[in-house]
Structures are given as C-alpha cells and as structure tokens.
Amino acid sequence: MSTTELRIRCEREDLLAAIQAADAVVPTNSAKPILTNLQLDANAGRLEIIATDLQVGLRSIIAKVEIEHSGQAVVQARQLTGILKESRSRDVTMTLERREDQSQLTISLADGDYQIPAVVGEQFPPVGFFPTDAAVVSIAATRFEEMIRQTVFAVDRDRTSAVLSGLFLGVNDGEVVLAATDGKVLCEATDHGEAYRLPEAIAVIVPAVTIGHLQRILLATKPERVEIAFASKLIFFRIAPTGGGLTVELTSRLVEGSFPPYRNALPAKSASSVSFEAGELASAVRRTALMTSNTSRGIVLTLNHDQAMLSNLNYTNGSARIPVTCTYQGGSIKLGINALYLGEVLKVYKSPRIEIEMAKGLIMREKGVTYLIMPISLPN
C-alpha cells in the first residue's frame, strides 16, 4: 500500500526556472551524495526548491503553485532538470508516493510521464532563510551585476591568498563598494545613494564562487533590485524578478580576514596620460595577444608623440607589431602590460574613448569604477 506524501501542480517554465537557479549550486560530485540532490518543500501556499554545497545555500521560491498535498521530497538535481528542460508541456504535476522503505516522485507532463527515486531516511542539510532582523541594503540589479563584471576578473584565481580569492563588499556612508585584486590588477566599482546608509559600516569578503552563482541568477532572472543582508558570518541575497512568481534567496559563508587597504594604491589623477579609441585599442590588444601564451601574457606598448605600437614581449609563438592611433604628448616610453588584464578591462569599459594614466601603474577611470594594472618589467 502506498501513501501520498506530496502533490503539487504548477507551470513547467516556473518550475524549470526555479530548479535551474538552484541547480547552479549543486556540486557535480561530492563526498556527501545527498548534496547532489534538491529538496522540494511544498507548504504554506508556496513551493521551495532548496540546494546547497555547504558553502552556498539557495532557495528558489515559487508562489504560483497549487498544493494538493503538502510535503517534502529529495531528488536528483540533474535528472529532474533534464526532464523539465526537454518537455514542452505547459503544466507539470509532481506526486511523491511512499511504499514501505521506498519513495518515488512521479512527474506528469502533457508529453510524457516519469518516475524517479526519492531519497529516504537521510536529512537534507539546512539552508538559512533571508533574515528579518538584520541590516539590509537594496541596490538596482543592473548596476550591481555591472559592478560585479567590472571587478570580478581581478580576483586571485590562483588562491595564493584566501582574502584575495574573494570579492570585497563594503557599505558605508551612502556608498556601496565592490573591489578585487590579485596584487597585479586592482578594480573598484562604486554606487552612491541615501539608501546605502546603515547604522554600522559593513566590510566583508564574498567568495568568488558565490559571486559566480549570483551573477548567473541575475542574468537569468533580470530582476529590478537585489536585497543584501548581513548576519554574523553569513551574507544573504534576495532576488525577486519583476512580475513576481519566483524569488531566489542565496546564502553564503564569508571569507574570514580583512581585505587590504587597497585605496592607498589608487593615486590621484596623473599628469602623464595617453588616450585611445576604446574599440580600436581592444582589437589591437586581442591581435597582439594571439602571439602570447598562457605562461607569458606580456605585451609592450611603445609610445611616441601621437603614435603607439603594440608588440608581444616574448617571441616563442611568433611576433606581432600593431600600430594604434592615440593622443599622446609625452616623451618616448615603453610599457610592459599583461594582455589578459588589459583585455578584461576593455571588455567592460563603456566609453568610446579610454584614457590611460601612467603613474606607478596604468590607471583607467570611468564614472563609478577605477582600474589599476601594474606594469610588467621589461628586459634591458
């Protein structure tokens, strides 16, 4: 004899969007197999899709759902995602039935029915709720996603420093700041507003993997705003797309430690500078980088009066000499630059013309963002 422990009905696209958001957090492999699953929790008029890798937790919340029987089910994430993605059915009904020590989730669609096993007897790890009594900041989602793109490429990918392997997030005196550095490139993006005034200043480091999850969710859901809450050693993000129906809550542990006082490395505006058409410079950097390698990204920028030439530093993979139109009034100079860093800056640079200040490094500024690239030493 079987017992129904869960029965719900909703639109397939809503459920797929919720599951795909949660599935991004699910590890492909884990020493704890239960982490490769999702928990479905239908209760109080809403369906929650819950996932975690123990570092990051996520709740996708669907409000438009018919719950005939409240309950929970823990099922394989990839299997459920694949079934819903391949279907063209408008609606989906899911029923969890238990018979003795086995449970099966039946997925009923207009173009096919499926039965997949559900986990029995093992507790799914808890995932925190967005706090109701913590400091909360609300920021425009498009600007926040842009700030992430403007900074995240400078995170220390080699993990030589735990602190530098995350993204700095600060809220203080009407300003929200994102910053990242690996010691060779430094990026800072800011946004200002009265809504960013909190009783106490916030300064935390968010793991890069959390930022990656958050960025994918923002691009997929396109919400108007992101709410950020801080509580103890955790950070919470709540994303509610326009029109309702789906809310995503992301929870993450923070990186322990203090971010270095990076603003000390950002000088005031330098008197020595060169300007380029941003698109032309980006193309020249990409073409010159074809002659570099993963172990040697160096290129050389040679400047004379209103003349610039890009060439690669090492000739292992061949050589390139690319002339670039510029505006420059200084003396003859050669600068060594990491092509990868300069290319990443040019990808997110918005203005049609870019000015590069030359001080202890190469500084590029736009409204709300500053980039600093440290030069590469050139052979004598």
Side-chain angles (χ1 to χ4, degrees), residues 220-243:
T221 58
K222 302 188 184 307
E224 284 189 3
R225 303 197 70 78
V226 178
E227 290 181 299
I228 310 170
F230 309 88
S232 186
K233 296 181 180 180
L234 298 175
I235 189 168
F236 301 81
F237 300 93
R238 181 156 60 192
I239 302 106
T242 306

Side-chain angles (χ1 to χ4, degrees), residues 301-331:
L301 173 63
T302 303
L303 294 173
N304 289 293
H305 183 77
D306 288 344
Q307 293 182 335
M309 183 73 68
L310 282 176
S311 58
N312 52 309
L313 185 55
N314 295 317
Y315 296 152
T316 305
N317 294 336
S319 63
R321 286 176 56 82
I322 311 293
V324 191
T325 304
C326 72
T327 300
Y328 175 65
Q329 303 301 318

Side-chain angles (χ1 to χ4, degrees), residues 87-104:
S87 175
R88 293 297 176 264
S89 176
R90 181 179 182 277
D91 300 318
V92 55
T93 300
M94 295 194 296
T95 306
L96 180 69
E97 293 187 340
R98 181 163 184 169
R99 182 179 288 109
E100 296 178 353
D101 61 346
Q102 292 186 333
S103 286
Q104 280 195 325

Side-chain angles (χ1 to χ4, degrees), residues 1-51:
M1 182 177 177
S2 63
T3 304
T4 299
E5 297 190 336
L6 170 72
R7 186 173 177 83
I8 61 170
R9 180 182 176 86
C10 63
E11 292 188 8
R12 180 190 62 84
E13 287 191 358
D14 287 349
L15 182 59
L16 179 59
I19 286 177
Q20 285 181 320
D23 188 43
V25 175
V26 176
T28 304
N29 297 296
S30 175
K32 293 186 175 183
I34 196 168
L35 298 182
T36 63
N37 292 269
L38 297 171
Q39 178 173 296
L40 314 182
D41 189 349
N43 197 11
R46 68 184 197 172
L47 173 64
E48 295 189 11
I49 314 297
I50 305 169

